[in-house]
Amino acid sequence: TMDSHARDIINKLMREGVTEATAFQWQSQLKQRYVDDDARIDICDAKFAYGYEYLGNGARLVITPLTDRIYVTATQALNLKMGCAPAG
């Protein structure tokens, strides 16, 4: 599921001709990276330290376009200190 999602995202970026790191289509993807030996997650303009939170049963999570939208919505809400409580 995660591998097929990554494949689909790469195909979509290529199909839309995204070549710049500043393009919204790339910025809106959840990215994990290490910065100065600290794990971080970045999406759009939100950047968070990864605190090794419990992530649930990720192997059973089905990633859909709606999942991508909630990633952007939730991280932007948290970045603006508004909180987020998705359910469903």
Coordinates of all heavy atoms in Angstrom, one line a residue:
T1 N 0.8 -1.2 0.0 CA 0.0 0.0 0.0 C 0.9 1.3 0.0 O 0.6 2.2 -0.8 CB -1.0 0.0 1.2 OG1 -0.2 -0.1 2.4 CG2 -2.0 -1.1 1.1
M2 N 1.8 1.3 0.9 CA 2.7 2.5 0.9 C 3.6 2.6 -0.4 O 3.8 3.7 -0.9 CB 3.6 2.5 2.1 CG 2.9 2.7 3.4 SD 2.1 4.3 3.6 CE 3.5 5.3 3.9
D3 N 4.0 1.4 -0.8 CA 4.8 1.4 -2.0 C 4.0 1.8 -3.3 O 4.5 2.5 -4.1 CB 5.5 0.0 -2.2 CG 6.5 -0.3 -1.2 OD1 7.1 0.6 -0.7 OD2 6.7 -1.5 -0.9
S4 N 2.8 1.3 -3.3 CA 2.0 1.6 -4.5 C 1.6 3.1 -4.4 O 1.5 3.7 -5.5 CB 0.7 0.7 -4.6 OG -0.1 0.8 -3.4
H5 N 1.4 3.6 -3.2 CA 1.1 5.0 -3.1 C 2.2 5.9 -3.6 O 2.1 6.8 -4.3 CB 0.7 5.4 -1.7 CG 0.5 6.8 -1.4 ND1 -0.5 7.5 -1.9 CD2 1.3 7.7 -0.7 CE1 -0.4 8.8 -1.6 NE2 0.7 8.9 -0.8
A6 N 3.5 5.5 -3.2 CA 4.7 6.2 -3.6 C 4.8 6.2 -5.1 O 5.1 7.2 -5.7 CB 5.9 5.7 -2.9
R7 N 4.5 5.0 -5.7 CA 4.6 4.9 -7.1 C 3.6 5.8 -7.8 O 3.9 6.5 -8.8 CB 4.3 3.4 -7.5 CG 4.3 3.2 -9.0 CD 3.5 2.0 -9.4 NE 2.1 2.1 -9.0 CZ 1.4 1.1 -8.6 NH1 1.8 -0.1 -8.5 NH2 0.1 1.4 -8.2
D8 N 2.4 5.8 -7.3 CA 1.3 6.7 -7.8 C 1.6 8.1 -7.7 O 1.4 8.9 -8.7 CB 0.0 6.4 -7.2 CG -0.6 5.0 -7.4 OD1 0.0 4.3 -8.4 OD2 -1.5 4.5 -6.7
I9 N 2.2 8.6 -6.6 CA 2.6 10.0 -6.5 C 3.7 10.4 -7.4 O 3.6 11.4 -8.1 CB 3.0 10.2 -5.0 CG1 1.8 10.1 -4.1 CG2 3.7 11.6 -4.9 CD1 0.7 11.1 -4.3
I10 N 4.7 9.5 -7.6 CA 5.8 9.8 -8.5 C 5.2 9.9 -10.0 O 5.5 10.8 -10.7 CB 6.9 8.7 -8.5 CG1 7.6 8.8 -7.1 CG2 7.9 8.9 -9.6 CD1 8.2 10.1 -6.8
N11 N 4.3 9.0 -10.3 CA 3.7 9.0 -11.7 C 2.9 10.3 -11.8 O 2.9 10.9 -12.9 CB 2.8 7.8 -11.9 CG 3.6 6.6 -12.1 OD1 4.8 6.6 -12.5 ND2 3.0 5.4 -11.8
K12 N 2.2 10.7 -10.8 CA 1.4 12.0 -10.9 C 2.3 13.2 -11.0 O 2.0 14.1 -11.9 CB 0.5 12.1 -9.6 CG -0.3 13.4 -9.6 CD -1.1 13.5 -8.3 CE -1.8 14.8 -8.2 NZ -2.2 15.1 -6.8
L13 N 3.4 13.2 -10.3 CA 4.3 14.4 -10.4 C 4.9 14.4 -11.8 O 5.0 15.5 -12.3 CB 5.4 14.3 -9.3 CG 4.9 14.4 -7.9 CD1 6.1 14.1 -6.9 CD2 4.4 15.8 -7.6
M14 N 5.3 13.3 -12.3 CA 5.8 13.3 -13.7 C 4.8 13.7 -14.7 O 5.1 14.4 -15.6 CB 6.4 11.9 -14.0 CG 7.6 11.5 -13.1 SD 8.2 9.8 -13.3 CE 8.3 9.6 -15.0
R15 N 3.6 13.2 -14.6 CA 2.5 13.5 -15.5 C 2.2 15.0 -15.5 O 1.9 15.5 -16.5 CB 1.3 12.6 -15.1 CG 0.2 12.7 -16.2 CD -1.0 11.7 -15.8 NE -1.5 11.9 -14.5 CZ -1.4 11.1 -13.5 NH1 -0.7 10.0 -13.6 NH2 -1.9 11.3 -12.3
E16 N 2.2 15.6 -14.3 CA 1.9 17.0 -14.2 C 3.1 17.9 -14.5 O 3.0 19.1 -14.5 CB 1.4 17.3 -12.8 CG 0.0 16.7 -12.6 CD -0.5 16.9 -11.2 OE1 0.1 17.6 -10.4 OE2 -1.6 16.5 -10.9
G17 N 4.3 17.3 -14.8 CA 5.5 18.0 -15.2 C 6.1 18.8 -14.1 O 6.7 19.8 -14.3
V18 N 6.0 18.3 -12.8 CA 6.6 19.0 -11.7 C 8.1 18.8 -11.7 O 8.6 17.6 -11.7 CB 6.0 18.4 -10.4 CG1 6.8 19.0 -9.2 CG2 4.5 18.7 -10.3
T19 N 8.9 19.9 -11.8 CA 10.3 19.8 -11.9 C 11.0 20.7 -10.8 O 12.2 20.6 -10.7 CB 10.8 20.3 -13.3 OG1 10.4 21.6 -13.5 CG2 10.3 19.3 -14.3
E20 N 10.2 21.4 -10.1 CA 10.7 22.3 -9.1 C 10.3 21.9 -7.7 O 9.2 21.5 -7.5 CB 10.2 23.8 -9.3 CG 10.6 24.4 -10.6 CD 12.0 24.6 -10.8 OE1 12.7 25.0 -9.8 OE2 12.5 24.5 -11.9
A21 N 11.2 22.0 -6.7 CA 10.9 21.6 -5.3 C 9.9 22.6 -4.7 O 9.4 22.3 -3.7 CB 12.2 21.6 -4.5
T22 N 9.7 23.7 -5.3 CA 8.8 24.7 -4.8 C 7.4 24.5 -5.3 O 6.5 25.2 -4.8 CB 9.3 26.1 -5.1 OG1 9.4 26.2 -6.6 CG2 10.6 26.5 -4.5
A23 N 7.2 23.6 -6.2 CA 5.8 23.3 -6.7 C 4.9 22.8 -5.6 O 5.3 21.9 -4.8 CB 5.9 22.3 -7.8
F24 N 3.7 23.2 -5.5 CA 2.7 22.8 -4.5 C 2.5 21.3 -4.5 O 2.4 20.7 -3.4 CB 1.4 23.5 -4.6 CG 0.4 23.1 -3.6 CD1 0.5 23.5 -2.3 CD2 -0.6 22.2 -3.9 CE1 -0.4 23.1 -1.3 CE2 -1.5 21.7 -2.9 CZ -1.4 22.2 -1.6
Q25 N 2.5 20.7 -5.7 CA 2.3 19.3 -5.7 C 3.4 18.5 -5.0 O 3.1 17.4 -4.4 CB 2.3 18.8 -7.2 CG 1.1 19.3 -8.0 CD 1.5 20.6 -8.8 OE1 2.3 21.4 -8.3 NE2 0.9 20.7 -9.9
W26 N 4.6 19.0 -5.0 CA 5.7 18.4 -4.3 C 5.7 18.8 -2.8 O 5.8 18.0 -1.9 CB 7.1 18.7 -4.9 CG 8.2 18.2 -4.0 CD1 9.1 19.0 -3.3 CD2 8.5 16.9 -3.7 NE1 10.0 18.2 -2.6 CE2 9.7 16.9 -2.9 CE3 8.0 15.6 -4.1 CZ2 10.2 15.7 -2.4 CZ3 8.6 14.5 -3.7 CH2 9.7 14.5 -2.8
Q27 N 5.4 20.1 -2.5 CA 5.4 20.6 -1.2 C 4.3 19.9 -0.3 O 4.5 19.8 0.9 CB 5.2 22.1 -1.2 CG 6.3 22.9 -1.7 CD 7.5 22.9 -0.8 OE1 7.4 22.9 0.4 NE2 8.7 22.8 -1.4
S28 N 3.2 19.5 -1.0 CA 2.1 19.0 -0.2 C 2.3 17.5 0.1 O 1.4 16.9 0.7 CB 0.8 19.2 -1.0 OG 0.8 18.4 -2.2
Q29 N 3.4 16.9 -0.3 CA 3.7 15.5 0.1 C 4.4 15.4 1.4 O 5.3 16.2 1.7 CB 4.6 14.9 -1.0 CG 3.9 14.8 -2.4 CD 2.6 14.1 -2.3 OE1 2.5 13.0 -1.8 NE2 1.6 14.7 -2.9
L30 N 4.0 14.5 2.3 CA 4.6 14.3 3.6 C 6.0 13.7 3.4 O 6.2 12.7 2.7 CB 3.8 13.4 4.4 CG 4.2 13.2 5.9 CD1 4.1 14.5 6.6 CD2 3.4 12.1 6.5
K31 N 7.0 14.5 3.9 CA 8.4 14.0 3.7 C 9.0 13.8 5.1 O 8.9 14.6 6.0 CB 9.2 15.1 2.9 CG 8.6 15.3 1.5 CD 9.3 16.4 0.8 CE 8.7 17.7 1.1 NZ 7.3 17.9 0.8
Q32 N 9.8 12.7 5.2 CA 10.5 12.5 6.4 C 12.0 12.7 6.1 O 12.5 12.2 5.1 CB 10.3 11.0 6.9 CG 8.9 10.7 7.2 CD 8.1 10.2 6.0 OE1 8.7 9.7 5.0 NE2 6.8 10.3 6.0
R33 N 12.7 13.3 7.0 CA 14.1 13.6 6.8 C 14.9 13.7 8.1 O 14.2 14.0 9.1 CB 14.3 14.8 5.9 CG 13.6 16.0 6.4 CD 13.8 17.2 5.4 NE 13.0 16.9 4.2 CZ 12.7 17.7 3.3 NH1 13.2 19.0 3.3 NH2 12.0 17.4 2.2
Y34 N 16.2 13.6 8.0 CA 17.0 13.9 9.1 C 17.7 15.2 9.0 O 18.3 15.5 7.9 CB 18.1 12.8 9.3 CG 17.6 11.6 10.0 CD1 17.2 10.5 9.2 CD2 17.5 11.5 11.3 CE1 16.7 9.3 9.8 CE2 17.0 10.4 12.0 CZ 16.6 9.3 11.2 OH 16.2 8.2 11.8
V35 N 17.7 16.1 10.0 CA 18.3 17.4 10.0 C 19.2 17.4 11.3 O 18.6 17.4 12.4 CB 17.3 18.5 9.9 CG1 18.1 19.9 10.0 CG2 16.5 18.4 8.7
D36 N 20.5 17.5 11.1 CA 21.4 17.5 12.3 C 21.1 16.4 13.3 O 20.9 16.6 14.5 CB 21.3 18.9 13.0 CG 21.7 20.0 12.1 OD1 22.6 19.9 11.3 OD2 21.1 21.1 12.2
D37 N 20.9 15.2 12.7 CA 20.7 14.0 13.5 C 19.3 14.0 14.2 O 19.1 13.2 15.2 CB 21.8 13.7 14.6 CG 23.1 13.4 13.9 OD1 23.1 12.8 12.8 OD2 24.2 13.7 14.4
D38 N 18.4 14.8 13.8 CA 17.0 14.8 14.4 C 16.1 14.4 13.3 O 16.1 15.0 12.1 CB 16.7 16.2 14.9 CG 17.4 16.6 16.1 OD1 17.7 15.7 17.0 OD2 17.7 17.8 16.3
A39 N 15.2 13.5 13.6 CA 14.2 13.1 12.6 C 13.1 14.2 12.6 O 12.7 14.7 13.6 CB 13.6 11.8 13.0
R40 N 12.7 14.6 11.3 CA 11.7 15.6 11.1 C 10.7 15.2 10.1 O 11.0 14.3 9.2 CB 12.4 16.9 10.6 CG 13.4 17.4 11.6 CD 13.8 18.9 11.2 NE 12.7 19.8 11.1 CZ 12.1 20.4 12.2 NH1 12.5 20.1 13.4 NH2 11.1 21.2 12.0
I41 N 9.5 15.7 10.2 CA 8.5 15.6 9.1 C 8.2 17.0 8.6 O 8.1 17.9 9.3 CB 7.3 14.8 9.5 CG1 6.5 15.6 10.6 CG2 7.6 13.4 10.0 CD1 5.1 15.1 10.8
D42 N 8.1 17.1 7.3 CA 7.8 18.3 6.6 C 6.7 18.1 5.6 O 6.6 17.1 4.9 CB 9.0 18.8 5.8 CG 10.3 19.1 6.6 OD1 10.2 19.0 7.8 OD2 11.3 19.3 6.0
I43 N 5.8 19.1 5.6 CA 4.7 19.1 4.6 C 4.3 20.6 4.5 O 4.1 21.3 5.5 CB 3.5 18.2 5.0 CG1 2.5 18.1 3.9 CG2 2.9 18.7 6.2 CD1 1.5 17.0 4.0
C44 N 4.2 21.1 3.2 CA 4.0 22.5 2.9 C 4.9 23.3 3.8 O 6.1 23.1 3.7 CB 2.5 22.8 3.2 SG 1.4 22.0 2.0
D45 N 4.4 24.3 4.5 CA 5.3 25.1 5.3 C 5.4 24.6 6.8 O 6.1 25.3 7.6 CB 4.9 26.6 5.3 CG 3.5 26.8 5.9 OD1 2.8 25.8 6.1 OD2 3.2 28.0 6.2
A46 N 4.8 23.5 7.1 CA 4.9 23.0 8.5 C 6.1 22.0 8.6 O 6.3 21.2 7.8 CB 3.6 22.2 8.8
K47 N 6.8 22.2 9.7 CA 8.0 21.3 10.0 C 7.9 20.9 11.4 O 7.8 21.8 12.3 CB 9.3 22.1 9.7 CG 9.4 22.5 8.2 CD 10.6 23.3 8.0 CE 10.7 23.8 6.6 NZ 10.1 23.1 5.5
F48 N 7.9 19.6 11.7 CA 7.8 19.1 13.0 C 8.9 18.2 13.4 O 9.4 17.4 12.5 CB 6.5 18.4 13.2 CG 5.3 19.2 13.1 CD1 4.6 19.2 11.9 CD2 4.8 20.0 14.1 CE1 3.4 20.0 11.7 CE2 3.7 20.8 13.9 CZ 3.0 20.8 12.7
A49 N 9.4 18.2 14.6 CA 10.3 17.2 15.1 C 9.5 15.9 15.3 O 8.4 15.9 15.8 CB 10.9 17.6 16.4
Y50 N 10.1 14.8 14.8 CA 9.4 13.5 14.9 C 9.7 13.0 16.3 O 10.9 12.8 16.7 CB 9.9 12.5 13.9 CG 9.3 11.1 14.0 CD1 7.9 10.9 13.9 CD2 10.1 10.1 14.2 CE1 7.4 9.7 14.1 CE2 9.6 8.8 14.4 CZ 8.3 8.6 14.3 OH 7.7 7.4 14.4
G51 N 8.7 12.8 17.2 CA 8.9 12.4 18.5 C 8.7 10.9 18.8 O 8.5 10.5 19.9
Y52 N 8.8 10.1 17.7 CA 8.6 8.6 17.8 C 7.3 8.3 18.4 O 7.2 7.4 19.3 CB 9.8 8.0 18.5 CG 11.1 8.3 17.8 CD1 11.9 9.4 18.2 CD2 11.4 7.6 16.7 CE1 13.0 9.7 17.6 CE2 12.6 7.9 16.0 CZ 13.4 9.0 16.5 OH 14.5 9.3 15.8
E53 N 6.2 9.0 18.0 CA 4.9 8.7 18.5 C 4.4 7.4 18.0 O 4.9 6.9 17.0 CB 3.9 9.8 18.0 CG 4.2 11.2 18.5 CD 5.2 12.0 17.6 OE1 5.7 11.4 16.7 OE2 5.4 13.1 17.9
Y54 N 3.4 6.8 18.7 CA 2.8 5.6 18.2 C 2.0 5.9 16.9 O 1.2 6.8 16.9 CB 1.8 5.0 19.3 CG 1.1 3.8 18.8 CD1 1.7 2.6 18.6 CD2 -0.3 3.9 18.6 CE1 1.1 1.5 18.2 CE2 -1.0 2.8 18.1 CZ -0.3 1.6 17.9 OH -1.0 0.5 17.5
L55 N 2.3 5.1 15.9 CA 1.7 5.4 14.6 C 0.6 4.4 14.3 O 0.1 4.4 13.2 CB 2.8 5.3 13.5 CG 3.9 6.4 13.7 CD1 5.0 6.2 12.6 CD2 3.3 7.7 13.6
G56 N 0.3 3.5 15.1 CA -0.8 2.6 14.9 C -0.3 1.4 14.0 O 0.9 1.2 13.8
N57 N -1.3 0.8 13.3 CA -1.0 -0.3 12.5 C -0.8 0.2 11.0 O -1.7 0.0 10.2 CB -2.1 -1.4 12.6 CG -1.7 -2.7 11.9 OD1 -0.6 -2.8 11.3 ND2 -2.5 -3.7 12.1
G58 N 0.3 0.8 10.7 CA 0.5 1.4 9.4 C 0.4 0.4 8.2 O 0.1 0.8 7.1
A59 N 0.7 -0.9 8.5 CA 0.7 -1.9 7.4 C -0.8 -2.0 6.9 O -1.0 -2.4 5.8 CB 1.2 -3.2 7.9
R60 N -1.7 -1.7 7.7 CA -3.1 -1.9 7.3 C -3.8 -0.6 6.8 O -4.9 -0.6 6.3 CB -4.0 -2.4 8.5 CG -3.5 -3.8 8.9 CD -4.4 -4.4 9.8 NE -5.7 -4.6 9.1 CZ -6.8 -5.0 9.7 NH1 -6.8 -5.4 10.9 NH2 -8.0 -5.1 9.0
L61 N -3.0 0.5 6.9 CA -3.5 1.8 6.4 C -3.6 1.8 4.9 O -2.5 1.6 4.3 CB -2.7 3.0 7.0 CG -3.1 4.4 6.5 CD1 -4.4 4.7 7.1 CD2 -2.0 5.4 7.0
V62 N -4.7 2.2 4.4 CA -4.8 2.3 2.9 C -4.7 3.8 2.6 O -5.5 4.6 3.1 CB -6.2 1.7 2.4 CG1 -6.3 2.0 0.9 CG2 -6.3 0.3 2.8
I63 N -3.7 4.1 1.8 CA -3.5 5.5 1.5 C -4.3 5.9 0.2 O -4.2 5.2 -0.8 CB -2.0 5.8 1.2 CG1 -1.1 5.3 2.3 CG2 -1.7 7.3 0.9 CD1 -1.3 6.0 3.6
T64 N -5.1 6.9 0.3 CA -6.0 7.4 -0.8 C -5.7 8.9 -0.9 O -5.0 9.5 -0.1 CB -7.4 7.2 -0.5 OG1 -7.8 8.0 0.6 CG2 -7.7 5.7 -0.1
P65 N -6.2 9.5 -2.0 CA -6.1 10.9 -2.1 C -6.7 11.7 -0.9 O -6.2 12.7 -0.5 CB -6.9 11.3 -3.4 CG -6.7 10.0 -4.2 CD -6.8 8.9 -3.2
L66 N -7.7 11.1 -0.3 CA -8.3 11.7 0.9 C -7.3 11.7 2.1 O -7.2 12.6 2.9 CB -9.6 11.0 1.3 CG -10.3 11.6 2.5 CD1 -10.7 13.1 2.3 CD2 -11.6 10.8 2.8
T67 N -6.5 10.6 2.2 CA -5.5 10.5 3.2 C -4.5 11.6 3.0 O -4.1 12.2 4.0 CB -4.8 9.1 3.2 OG1 -5.8 8.1 3.1 CG2 -3.9 8.9 4.4
D68 N -4.1 11.8 1.8 CA -3.1 12.9 1.5 C -3.7 14.2 1.9 O -3.0 15.1 2.5 CB -2.7 12.9 0.0 CG -1.8 11.8 -0.4 OD1 -1.1 11.3 0.5 OD2 -1.8 11.4 -1.6
R69 N -4.9 14.4 1.7 CA -5.6 15.7 2.0 C -5.6 15.9 3.6 O -5.4 17.0 4.0 CB -7.0 15.8 1.5 CG -6.9 16.0 -0.1 CD -8.3 16.0 -0.7 NE -9.1 17.1 -0.2 CZ -10.4 17.2 -0.5 NH1 -11.0 16.3 -1.2 NH2 -11.1 18.2 0.0
I70 N -5.9 14.9 4.3 CA -5.9 15.0 5.8 C -4.5 15.2 6.3 O -4.3 15.9 7.3 CB -6.6 13.8 6.5 CG1 -6.9 14.2 7.9 CG2 -5.8 12.6 6.4 CD1 -7.8 15.3 8.2
Y71 N -3.5 14.7 5.7 CA -2.1 15.0 6.1 C -1.8 16.5 6.0 O -1.3 17.1 7.0 CB -1.1 14.2 5.2 CG -0.9 12.8 5.5 CD1 -0.3 12.0 4.5 CD2 -1.3 12.2 6.6 CE1 -0.2 10.6 4.7 CE2 -1.2 10.8 6.8 CZ -0.6 10.0 5.9 OH -0.4 8.7 6.1
V72 N -2.2 17.1 4.9 CA -2.0 18.5 4.7 C -2.8 19.3 5.7 O -2.3 20.2 6.4 CB -2.3 18.9 3.3 CG1 -2.2 20.5 3.1 CG2 -1.3 18.3 2.3
T73 N -4.1 19.0 5.8 CA -5.0 19.7 6.7 C -4.6 19.6 8.2 O -4.5 20.6 8.9 CB -6.5 19.1 6.5 OG1 -6.8 19.3 5.2 CG2 -7.4 19.9 7.4
A74 N -4.3 18.4 8.6 CA -3.9 18.2 10.0 C -2.6 18.9 10.4 O -2.5 19.5 11.4 CB -3.8 16.7 10.3
T75 N -1.6 18.8 9.5 CA -0.3 19.4 9.8 C -0.4 20.9 9.8 O 0.2 21.6 10.6 CB 0.8 18.9 8.9 OG1 0.4 19.1 7.5 CG2 1.1 17.4 9.2
Q76 N -1.2 21.4 8.8 CA -1.4 22.9 8.8 C -2.1 23.4 10.0 O -1.8 24.4 10.6 CB -2.1 23.3 7.5 CG -1.3 23.1 6.3 CD 0.0 23.9 6.3 OE1 0.0 25.1 6.5 NE2 1.1 23.2 6.2
A77 N -3.1 22.6 10.5 CA -3.8 23.0 11.7 C -2.9 23.0 12.9 O -2.9 23.9 13.7 CB -5.0 22.1 11.9
L78 N -2.1 22.0 13.0 CA -1.1 21.9 14.1 C -0.1 23.0 14.0 O 0.3 23.5 15.0 CB -0.5 20.5 14.2 CG -1.4 19.3 14.5 CD1 -0.7 18.0 14.4 CD2 -2.0 19.5 15.9
N79 N 0.4 23.3 12.8 CA 1.4 24.3 12.6 C 0.8 25.7 13.1 O 1.6 26.5 13.6 CB 1.8 24.3 11.2 CG 3.0 25.2 10.9 OD1 3.9 25.2 11.7 ND2 2.9 26.0 9.9
L80 N -0.5 25.9 12.9 CA -1.1 27.1 13.3 C -1.6 27.1 14.7 O -2.4 28.0 15.1 CB -2.3 27.5 12.3 CG -1.9 27.7 10.9 CD1 -3.1 27.8 10.0 CD2 -1.0 29.0 10.8
K81 N -1.3 26.0 15.4 CA -1.6 25.8 16.9 C -3.2 25.8 17.1 O -3.7 26.2 18.0 CB -1.1 27.0 17.8 CG 0.4 27.3 17.6 CD 1.2 26.1 18.0 CE 2.7 26.5 18.1 NZ 3.5 26.1 17.0
M82 N -3.8 25.2 16.1 CA -5.3 25.0 16.1 C -5.7 23.7 16.6 O -6.9 23.5 16.9 CB -5.9 25.4 14.8 CG -5.6 26.8 14.3 SD -6.3 27.2 12.7 CE -8.0 27.3 13.0
G83 N -4.8 22.7 16.6 CA -5.2 21.3 17.0 C -5.9 20.6 15.9 O -6.3 21.2 14.9
C84 N -6.1 19.3 16.0 CA -6.7 18.5 15.0 C -7.2 17.2 15.7 O -6.5 16.6 16.5 CB -5.8 18.2 13.9 SG -6.5 17.3 12.6
A85 N -8.4 16.8 15.4 CA -8.9 15.5 15.9 C -9.7 14.8 14.8 O -10.9 14.8 14.8 CB -9.9 15.8 17.1
P86 N -9.0 14.2 13.9 CA -9.7 13.5 12.8 C -10.3 12.2 13.3 O -9.8 11.6 14.3 CB -8.6 13.1 11.8 CG -7.3 13.1 12.6 CD -7.5 14.1 13.7
A87 N -11.4 11.8 12.7 CA -12.1 10.6 13.1 C -12.7 10.0 11.9 O -13.0 10.7 10.9 CB -13.2 10.9 14.1
G88 N -12.9 8.7 11.9 CA -13.6 8.1 10.8 C -12.8 6.9 10.2 O -11.8 6.5 10.6

